Amino acid sequence: MFRPVLRKLIDLNKRLSERFDRLFPAVYRIDGNTEFRLEQLPALIEDGQKIYDLGGGSRPYVSVTRRCLQQLHVVGVDISAAELNAAPDGSYDETIALDAADFRGVGDGDLAISQAALEHTEDTQAAILGIASSLRPGGVAAIFTPCRNAAFARLNILLPEGVKRRILLGFFPEKSDGHHGFPALYRNCTPSKMLEIAQSVGLSPVKVQTYWCSNYFTGIFPLHVLWRLWTVLAKTVFGPDMCETFVLILIRQPQDAGMEMAERDRRT
């Protein structure tokens, strides 16, 4: 009896939160992950490309149908061999079971995709170096990640793992598919810091896009109101590094000096 009533109460709070959000300008209502998947990545994919999907695991960005139709060569890189093996048949032409921080490519990729993966990496700098190493000169890296300064990220860092999972599944039962709730560290996960690291390994910015929308507090309407007012204040007063999520589109420069220096610094 109690659970159905609680579920209805949470759903009511979510509806109230959605209506409240309509009062805000569009910039506060754009979901970064959705725009990354549906608008930004499709614009970067061309026929015949070699694509590295770092952290895609069992849910690669490129569908089997698209891979075949556009004659794409897709390499899956993930820390878990089991996740890579669980991807739909035909998703990957190659798989590499390695932590992103340990992966080093051979500079033959046209596009490297990292979607909500870098926040789970202990050594973000090494992971970005791995992304850069996978690209040929002129190749493009497309990175989407939550910002460590977002309210939900700060809570994620502070709360014990078991507590976080219970809260997440209690308010978002649709996320019980095993693909959510991975431990997140958010090392260097701000637009300015990640861009600084990217440039140090020979990746130049094409686009830096911040987003100010997430749904983690929608199940408790009063908390969602406070969070939403905070995002407006944070954006106005503190700027991009206080965003909820962000996207970096980067291009690999022809010189390798930055990458070699970063690798030497990492090893010493």
Side-chain angles (χ1 to χ4, degrees):
M1 173 94 183
F2 177 72
R3 286 189 176 181
V5 172
L6 181 60
R7 184 73 259 156
K8 289 182 180 179
L9 182 60
I10 291 173
D11 289 342
L12 173 61
N13 276 262
K14 286 182 177 180
R15 290 195 295 272
L16 290 172
S17 296
E18 290 170 2
R19 290 177 183 176
F20 182 71
D21 278 353
R22 296 171 192 166
L23 300 174
F24 291 83
V27 68
Y28 293 101
R29 293 183 280 112
I30 300 172
D31 180 78
N33 195 26
T34 299
E35 184 166 277
F36 183 68
R37 291 180 60 84
L38 300 184
E39 296 183 26
Q40 297 183 7
L41 282 178
L44 297 173
I45 295 177
E46 300 177 359
D47 293 354
Q49 286 180 326
K50 184 167 188 177
I51 298 175
Y52 285 84
D53 189 336
L54 294 98
S58 61
R59 299 199 302 177
Y61 172 74
V62 177
S63 68
V64 176
T65 300
R66 171 175 277 182
R67 187 183 70 80
C68 294
L69 286 176
Q70 294 193 252
Q71 298 182 330
L72 304 171
H73 185 100
V74 182
V75 182
V77 182
D78 197 279
I79 193 171
S80 171
E83 282 287 306
L84 290 167
N85 291 334
D89 290 343
S91 294
Y92 299 119
D93 295 278
E94 305 172 50
T95 57
I96 301 171
L98 275 178
D99 187 304
D102 297 323
F103 167 70
R104 292 295 175 269
V106 294
D108 62 347
D110 299 292
L111 176 65
I113 298 170
S114 176
Q115 182 179 206
L118 291 181
E119 70 272 21
H120 303 291
T121 303
E122 182 74 37
D123 190 342
T124 313
Q125 184 165 2
I128 295 175
L129 179 59
I131 290 172
S133 72
S134 73
L135 295 170
R136 62 170 177 78
V140 173
I143 299 171
F144 169 84
T145 186
C147 180
R148 71 172 284 109
N149 292 327
F152 73 84
R154 304 312 299 174
L155 284 174
N156 204 357
I157 292 170
L158 293 171
L159 292 175
E161 200 61 37
V163 173
K164 289 186 294 188
R165 289 180 182 274
R166 286 194 293 272
I167 293 174
L168 182 68
L169 298 182
F171 283 92
F172 302 98
E174 68 274 11
K175 296 186 178 183
S176 61
D177 57 2
H179 295 285
H180 298 85
F182 293 112
L185 303 171
Y186 305 101
R187 306 279 195 232
N188 297 309
C189 285
T190 64
S192 64
K193 187 60 181 178
M194 200 168 282
L195 182 57
E196 177 187 328
I197 294 171
Q199 290 177 310
S200 75
V201 298
L203 295 172
S204 296
V206 174
K207 184 175 187 178
V208 179
Q209 181 71 52
T210 56
Y211 297 94
W212 304 86
C213 176
S214 63
N215 66 353
Y216 288 99
F217 301 112
T218 55
I220 306 176
F221 178 61
L223 186 57
H224 181 78
V225 171
L226 290 175
W227 163 79
R228 177 53 81 191
L229 295 176
W230 162 249
T231 59
V232 174
L233 177 66
K235 183 178 186 298
T236 304
V237 177
F238 302 108
D241 275 355
M242 299 301 293
C243 65
E244 295 290 298
T245 60
F246 61 96
V247 167
L248 299 181
I249 307 297
L250 309 155
I251 189 167
R252 180 80 181 90
Q253 295 301 311
Q255 67 272 16
D256 293 327
M259 184 184 298
E260 292 172 0
M261 185 179 298
E263 187 66 66
R264 286 198 302 272
D265 291 345
R266 177 173 177 263
R267 290 176 177 175
T268 56

